[in-house]
Amino acid sequence: RMSLPKITTGSKNLDNLLGGGVEVKTITEFFGEFGSGKTQLCHQLAVNVQLPLEKGGLSRKAVYIDTEGTFRWERIEAMARGLGLDPDKTMENIFYVRAVNSDHQMAVVEELKELIPKEDIGLVVVDSVTGHFRAEYPGRENLAVRQQKLNRHLHQLMSLAELFDVAVVVTNQVMARPDVFYGDPTTAIGGHVLYHAPGVRVQLKKSRGNRRIARIVDAPHLPESEAVFAITEVGIRD
Ligand code: ADP
Ligand code: MG
């Protein structure tokens, strides 16, 4: 695993926790409650993938699949400036798609088989991977079909990761407290989004002010420690 190329998160602490950064050929899931930093991390990685190797990037482009409408070009601009990158060029190298429902989300990923090699994509972001599936197949009564569809989607993403050596980053919003009322394992902390897919799962938690705490869940090859990082005006930092 050590030899796989990785994308820096912008935080040394978080990179160390991840064994160097976000890895290609792998699905990395960031999960946590609202405001825990999932979307900001996705923005930062879409910028950082474009950095040269010696600066922690892959010199490649990004695809950003936004299911919640929370993507902001202004944040990309600020993050690019923060790294001394040309903001316009950085934005040009991000292929943004707003996925309107789960079928669209899956169709978009299907089409990436052509876009990824053509445009030299190194990172595919899906923020969030679960939102549409939860909205369309709500509650415990739809759990089986929702998980089945979600698993199909994750297999799509995993084959992209493996076929094209790309990093896949997905987010999953979970409740601050386990969802005891609905008994739905996909919304609870430690939910089962990547249950059947290989990958790295990272729990994000709010701390004081702009501080956030990351913790790796269920990864025997990575340490069970925590990392503290910050969300700043120019992006993710220590
Ligand atoms: P999630 O996607 O997990 O719900 P976000 O990634 O959207 O959370 O994180 C939101 C947080 O990011 C905000 O609460 C704020 O602290 C921080 N943030 C967003 N934009 C900026 C900015 N321009 N400057 C500094 N911090 C920001
Ligand atoms: Mg978000």
Side-chain angles (χ1 to χ4, degrees), residues 58-73:
L58 304 177
S59 279
R60 291 165 77 188
K61 303 176 188 177
V63 168
Y64 199 110
I65 302 172
D66 178 16
T67 73
E68 298 177 331
T70 53
F71 180 84
R72 297 289 177 271
W73 287 111

Side-chain angles (χ1 to χ4, degrees), residues 33-38 40-41 203-214 226-231 236-237:
E33 64 184 292
F34 178 78
S36 59
K38 302 180 296 294
Q40 293 302 310
L41 263 167
Q203 182 177 6
L204 301 179
K205 285 182 289 186
K206 288 188 206 171
S207 186
R208 282 182 184 210
N210 67 350
R211 304 263 124 194
R212 298 293 185 275
I213 299 164
E226 292 186 337
V228 178
F229 65 95
I231 309 173
I236 305 298
R237 295 291 185 274

